[in-house]
Every structure is written in structure tokens, then in C-alpha cells.
């Protein structure tokens, strides 16, 4: 597929395209444009031109368009989800959920945008008022990873568009197709040319040009911590607004009095969703020593009920997206085993029959782990969890916080006081007590420490696309 710029398909300046691979079969599904700085110039110029009139459109009109785009996403969910399943390998049910959650998020932002307000302080000065107004920041560059291409884009797009910004999106080179289709859908829904552009290519090739360009007012990035650090440094050098949603290595603490019948299904669901390619997945578990053995037995038997296969097979999990992401799981398992962990299930690449052409790794549980092992300290981004026992809650909190990451945390205890005390102590942007589900649209999401800067979703997510201006009015 070509780039989508100024409301139309555009050939890349280089004339070069690269393959999009189906991670289940290794087959080429389609191609994406290998853009260069000329294409960046074209996309940003288009967004800057569109911004002049888009920012002036009444918010109610922008909200109506956003609801229309959300409705179109629901109408075309099967087609978009099919594309997502082919480029990502995730089961169809999960792809359909991503589409519906993203449409809901667009609807939420549209309504929340209608509630944006300024202020007039009560100075009570004769003949003068100070007006505090919000204005859109301008042209936004949205850079997204492969794992939830549509949701992670709509977290930025829905907030930026309703605030009056225009957008140049740069999707992952692994999963660019669904994003390109989304841009076409928005144009069909009636969005003016240039308001939402998509440019594809390798981050290293066009990242700097997108960030440094004078037209770019804000960079909204989701992806790995290393990439985010590079983007953050460059954005700072050019004084750009910035939101960073980065990696995670999220801990779950299971206390002695936890309701295991709730904790185990929640943890298994959340650790292995999207084959573990999920930023706030449960990566490591601390289980009270008095229930450790019984907990492990149930955890393993629940994990072993999960099936792995192609998107349309009804399986719970698909493959990992590419060899690099796959290799990390294999490396972390080997590292843990070398350092004395116990492999309880999974641990080896699936082969034979439908598996041979894809990067299929089974859900894997490693017990008796410690913090010298990568599985307890580095992001896995694969279907592997490490488990270790603890003695006191204070010890568990220290272990949970012994990480450069701080995206999410989880705690299970029948004593709500204990649950809340742990939640308050965890260095994380979101903490779940006594169950785990997806993050809500009306609350902020983001990371402490190396997991990010700023917040998305909720009204906080929209405010991040606005500037405050003070107007002194004398009359
Ligand atoms: P990645 O960092 O490799 O790539 C993300 C995006 O950045 C891609 O579009 C890529 O092309 C682009 N990119 C790469 N180098 C760049 C550069 N120098 N300049 C500009 N752009 C560049 O991440 P990935 O492997 O696609 O995704 C996995 C990572 O994303 C994990 O670390 C995961 O935790 C993180 N993630 C975080 C969240 C969150 O909300 N915190 C959500 C999902 C994924």
C-alpha cells in the first residue's frame, strides 16, 4: 500500500516498497512504502495546511465527524479486523475487540472534547478581564508500535483531532496496513484532506525528519523504552511537546489471603493476551510462600488450557510478530534456566504442522526465579512469566519496585487495607486490586519511571493536545 497524504494514496519519493509478512505463514501479504524525508515534508506540509481551517471548525462539528468515523469502524470491523489478523497473527476475536474498543475510544474523546473549558479568574478589576483559553498544539506526529496498531493510534488520534490538531501517523513497519485502511475510512467519513495522514517506513529512516521538522508541534509515541529515549532527547532539543508510552515489566503480588479462584484466571488472561505482546501484561509474580506450591499447581493447569494457532482457528493465542520479538522469549527462558529457575510448562518453540512457518511460542511458566534473571527484570513482550515466593508484604513491595519500569502493578488480598497499602506503594501509573481488566477510556493511562512521560485517555489525554493561552482584555 502507498502512503495516505492529503486525502489520497501517494507513491513514496524513493519508489521503494517493502514486504508486510503474515507471522503465521511467512507469506507476503502486501507491501508498505519506504518513505524518506521528501515524503515527510509532503505529509507535514499537508497537515500544516489542513490545520489552518481544522482548528477553526466548531468542536461540535469535529465531534460529529468523530462519531461518524467510529460508526464506520464498527460497520467495517470485519474487514479491518481481518487485515489486522493477517499482519499481526492475533486471533480474530481479539482483533474485533481491538476495533470495537477503538471505536468506543473515539466516541468517548468526541464527547469529552465537548466539555473542554477555559477559565476567567475573579480578579474584579474595573475594565479588565484575564481569559485563560485552550488552543490546539498544532500538527501532531503519532508514532505507534506493532502490537495494538489501531487502539494505540486512536489513543492519540481521537484526542488530537477533537482538540483541533491535525495528524501525521507513522505506524510500525510490521503492521502498517490496518492504519493505512483507517486513514481511508476517515477520509470516506468526511474528514478534510490533510487532517489525518499516514506515512510508512522505518523509524530510523524517517524518525528524525518527523520529529525535527519545524511544523511538528507534538510527538505522541508508543513503543520501546530505548526508542522513546532517543525520541525524547531529540524532541527536547527542538522544544516539542511530547507524550511517551513506553515499555513495561509489570508485577503482580498475590498475598496469603488472596482469592485464588479470581487471581489465577485474571493473571493467566492478562499475562498471555496477544501472545504476551502487551505493554502492561503481568510479567512477574510474587506469591506468598504459604500458598506458593498450591498456587503454582493451579496456575500451570490453567495456563495449559490455552491453545495456540492461526487467527481463524479459534485458538487463544497466535504467533509472535517476528523473529526478533520471538527470540527475546527464548533468550529469557534459557537465561532463567541457566540461573536455576524451574520450567513448569511451555518453554520451547512449537513446531510441526501449522506451526513450522510462524513464530509460535507456547504460554510458559518459570518458577523459583530471582532478580538476577532477565525474566524478572527485563521486558519480555512474549508469553513467559516468572514466579517467586515472598515472606512479608514489605518484601514483595520492594521486589515489585525493583525495576526501571513503572507502567502497571497488580495486587490480590482479601484485606482491602493491605490491597490499598500495596497499591499506594507501587511505583506504577495504574494498579489493579483484586482483579485485572483492560484500562478504561475515561481514566488516565501512562507510566512512571522508564515506562513513559505524560498520560493518555480521559480528559487528561485531550488536554495533552492543547496549549494554554492567557488573554488580557481591557475594555
Ligand atoms: P519500537 O520502539 O521498536 O517501535 C515503535 C515505533 O517506533 C515503530 O513505528 C518504529 O518504526 C518507530 N521507530 C523506531 N525507531 C525510531 C526512531 N529512531 N525515531 C522515530 N521512530 C522510530 O517498538 P515495537 O517493537 O514496535 O513495540 C513494542 C514496544 O512498545 C514494547 O516495549 C512495549 O512495551 C511498547 N508499548 C508500550 C505501550 C504503552 O502504552 N506504554 C503500549 C504498547 C507497546
Amino acid at each position: 500500500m502507498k502512503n495516505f497524504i492529503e486525502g489520497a494514496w501517494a507513491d513514496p519519493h524513493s519508489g521503494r516498497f517493502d514486504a508486510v509478512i503474515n507471522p503465521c505463514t511467512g507469506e507476503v501479504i502486501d507491501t508498505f512504502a519506504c518513505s524518506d524525508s521528501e515524503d515527510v515534508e509532503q505529509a507535514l506540509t499537508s497537515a500544516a495546511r489542513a490545520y489552518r481551517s481544522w482548528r477553526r471548525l466548531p468542536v461540535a462539528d469535529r465531534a460529529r465527524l468523530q462519531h461518524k468515523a467510529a460508526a464506520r469502524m464498527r460497520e467495517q470491523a470485519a474487514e479491518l479486523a481481518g487485515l489486522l489478523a493477517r499482519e499481526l497473527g492475533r486471533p480474530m476475536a481479539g482483533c474485533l475487540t481491538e476495533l470495537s474498543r477503538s471505536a468506543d475510544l473515539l466516541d468517548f474523546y468526541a464527547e469529552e472534547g465537548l466539555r473542554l473549558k477555559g477559565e476567567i479568574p475573579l480578579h474584579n478589576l474595573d475594565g479588565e478581564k484575564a481569559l485563560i483559553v485552550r488552543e490546539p498544539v498544532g500538527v501532531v506526529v503519532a508514532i505507534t508500535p506493532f502490537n495494538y496498531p489501531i487502539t494505540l493510534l486512536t489513543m492519540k488520534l481521537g484526542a488530537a483531532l477533537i482538540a483541533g490538531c491535525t495528524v501525521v501517523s507513522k505506524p510500525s513497519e510490521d503492521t502498517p496496513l490496518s492504519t493505512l485502511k483507517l486513514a481511508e475510512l476517515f477520509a470516506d467519513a468526511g474528514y478534510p484532506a490533510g487532517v489525518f495522514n499516514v506515512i510508512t517506513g522505518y523509524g530510523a529512516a524517517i524518525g528524525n525528519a518527523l520529529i525535527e521538522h519545524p511544523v511538528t508541534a507534538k510527538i505522541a509515541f508508543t513503543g520501546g523504552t530505548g526508542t522513546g529515549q532517543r525520541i525524547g532527547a531529540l524532541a527536547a532539543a527542538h522544544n516539542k511537546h511530547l507524550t511517551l508510552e513506553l515499555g513495561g515489566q509489570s508485577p503482580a503480588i498475590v498475598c496469603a489471603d488472596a482469592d485464588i479462584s479470581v487471581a489465577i484466571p485474571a493473571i493467566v488472561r492478562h499475562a498471555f493476551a496477544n501472545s504476551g505482546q502487551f505493554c502492561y501484561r503481568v510479567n512477574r509474580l510474587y506469591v506468598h510462600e504459604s500458598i506458593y506450591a498450591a498456587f503454582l499447581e493451579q496456575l500451570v493447569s490453567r495456563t495449559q488450557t490455552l491453545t495456540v494457532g492461526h487467527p481463524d482457528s479459534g485458538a487463544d493465542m497466535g504467533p509472535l510478530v517476528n523473529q526478533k520479538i520471538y527470540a527475546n522469549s527464548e533468550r529469557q527462558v534459557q537465561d532463567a534456566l541457566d540461573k536455576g529457575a524451574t520450567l513448569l510448562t511451555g518453554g520451547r518453540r512449537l513446531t510441526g504442522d501449522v506451526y513450522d512457518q510462524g513464530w509460535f511460542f507456547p504460554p510458559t511458566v518459570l518458577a523459583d526465579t530471582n532478580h538476577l534473571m532477565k525474566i524478572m527484570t527485563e521486558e519480555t513482550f512474549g508469553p513467559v512469566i516468572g514466579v517467586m515466593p515472598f515472606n512479608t508484604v514489605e518484601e514483595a513491595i520492594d521486589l515489585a519496585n525493583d525495576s526501571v519500569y513503572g507502567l502497571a502493578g497488580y495486587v490480590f488480598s482479601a484485606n482491602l487495607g493491605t490491597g490499598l497499602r500495596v497499591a499506594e506503594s507501587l511505583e506504577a501509573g495504574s494498579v489493579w486490586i483484586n482483579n485485572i481488566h483492560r484500562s478504561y477510556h475515561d481514566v488516565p493511562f501512562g507510566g512512571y519511571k522508564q515506562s513513559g512521560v505524560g498520560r493518555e485517555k480521559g480528559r487528561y489525554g485531550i488536554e495533552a493536545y492543547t496549549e494554554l493561552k492567557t488573554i488580557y482584555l481591557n475594555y
Side-chain angles (χ1 to χ4, degrees):
M1 290 171 81
K2 300 176 181 181
N3 288 327
F4 195 84
I5 300 174
E6 193 73 22
W9 298 109
D11 273 310
H13 173 252
S14 67
R16 286 198 304 111
F17 289 83
D18 214 340
V20 182
I21 308 284
N22 180 332
C24 291
T25 62
E27 287 162 1
V28 175
I29 316 164
D30 205 325
T31 58
F32 68 87
C34 297
S35 304
D36 63 18
S37 55
E38 298 280 336
D39 305 299
V40 168
E41 181 69 33
Q42 196 189 342
L44 285 170
T45 304
S46 162
R49 205 166 29 236
Y51 177 62
R52 284 188 219 129
S53 44
W54 181 250
R55 61 170 300 179
R56 292 210 190 83
L57 201 66
V59 181
D61 290 355
R62 294 202 290 255
R64 261 191 292 278
L65 261 180
Q66 196 148 312
H67 284 309
K68 200 168 163 196
R72 293 255 169 142
M73 280 174 76
R74 293 189 185 93
E75 282 160 25
Q76 296 176 29
E79 189 194 343
L80 270 164
L83 194 55
L84 199 51
R86 281 199 297 287
E87 62 184 354
L88 185 57
R90 187 202 297 148
M92 263 306 271
C95 294
L96 285 165
T97 303
E98 176 166 356
L99 263 299
S100 73
R101 275 179 58 83
S102 302
D104 291 349
L105 181 56
L106 287 180
D107 280 338
F108 168 78
Y109 274 142
E111 291 301 308
E112 198 62 22
L114 294 170
R115 298 186 186 100
L116 278 181
K117 289 180 185 66
E119 283 178 67
I120 305 177
L122 194 63
H123 290 151
N124 209 23
L125 295 173
D126 191 25
E128 190 191 297
K129 290 264 181 287
L131 317 178
I132 305 169
V133 298
R134 281 190 183 276
E135 296 189 344
V137 287
V139 173
V140 172
V141 167
I143 305 177
T144 42
F146 73 85
N147 62 327
Y148 286 90
I150 299 295
T151 295
L152 296 170
L153 174 60
T154 50
M155 279 190 189
K156 301 157 183 52
L157 184 70
L161 295 181
I162 196 69
C165 303
T166 55
V167 174
V168 173
S169 146
K170 209 303 277 172
S172 163
E173 44 274 39
D174 286 311
T175 55
L177 305 176
S178 48
T179 301
L180 287 160
K181 265 286 177 208
L182 192 71
E184 187 183 44
L185 180 151
F186 268 63
D188 289 346
Y191 274 81
V195 169
F196 170 24
N197 310 277
V198 180
I199 175 171
T200 60
Y202 293 94
I206 52 173
N208 287 13
L210 282 166
I211 294 159
E212 289 171 336
H213 198 287
V215 152
T216 303
K218 171 170 174 128
I219 298 103
F221 172 76
T222 300
T225 292
T227 315
Q229 284 167 338
R230 275 195 296 283
I231 289 174
L234 194 59
H238 293 268
N239 287 336
K240 308 288 188 180
H241 290 262
L242 186 69
T243 304
L244 297 174
E245 296 284 357
L246 308 179
Q249 225 284 5
S250 302
I253 296 174
V254 184
C255 298
D257 58 357
D259 184 345
I260 300 301
S261 70
V262 175
I264 287 187
I267 288 167
V268 169
R269 200 171 51 238
H270 213 66
F272 301 117
N274 205 26
S275 305
Q277 301 165 120
F278 186 15
C279 57
Y280 63 106
R281 69 179 291 256
V282 176
N283 211 140
R284 54 197 161 107
L285 286 175
Y286 305 97
V287 181
H288 192 265
E289 58 191 16
S290 63
I291 58 166
Y292 187 65
F295 180 90
L296 281 176
E297 199 183 310
Q298 289 188 45
L299 178 73
V300 169
S301 76
R302 182 85 187 192
T303 300
Q304 286 171 338
T305 64
L306 296 176
T307 53
V308 184
H310 286 222
D312 49 5
S313 66
D316 300 302
M317 286 169 48
L320 294 163
V321 76
N322 60 34
Q323 195 269 343
K324 182 175 150 229
I325 296 287
Y326 162 84
N328 204 40
S329 291
E330 206 171 56
R331 190 166 46 241
Q332 288 197 358
V333 170
Q334 193 54 53
D335 170 78
L337 295 179
D338 289 347
K339 292 171 182 166
T342 311
L343 178 65
L344 296 183
T345 187
R348 216 166 292 119
R349 183 177 176 181
L350 295 169
T351 52
D353 201 17
V354 296
Y355 296 131
D356 275 348
Q357 306 308 316
W359 301 107
F360 290 94
F361 203 84
T364 297
V365 178
L366 291 161
D368 311 328
T369 57
N370 61 52
H371 277 218
L372 296 175
M373 300 172 185
K374 294 181 194 300
I375 184 63
M376 302 304 274
T377 54
E378 294 182 8
E379 185 177 42
T380 308
F381 231 58
V384 186
I385 46 175
V387 194
M388 70 181 278
F390 71 85
N391 177 243
T392 66
V393 172
E394 288 68 30
E395 181 195 349
I397 291 169
D398 286 346
L399 285 164
N401 286 337
D402 177 27
S403 173
V404 297
Y405 296 107
L407 194 53
Y410 309 92
V411 53
F412 291 85
S413 169
N415 183 329
L416 290 186
T418 304
L420 195 54
R421 188 156 53 88
V422 173
E424 287 171 343
S425 305
L426 289 179
E427 295 161 355
S430 305
V431 181
W432 277 255
I433 305 173
N434 285 342
N435 209 340
I436 311 179
H437 50 67
R438 299 292 173 120
S439 68
Y440 289 150
H441 293 332
D442 59 342
V443 300
F445 182 82
Y448 280 30
K449 302 197 275 189
Q450 294 299 318
S451 287
V453 174
R455 295 291 180 269
E456 293 190 311
K457 305 222 258 189
R459 71 176 163 80
Y460 321 89
I462 302 181
E463 285 171 4
Y465 290 85
T466 63
E467 288 267 27
L468 287 174
K469 178 184 276 179
T470 308
I471 300 175
Y472 296 93
L473 170 66
N474 287 280
Y475 54 96

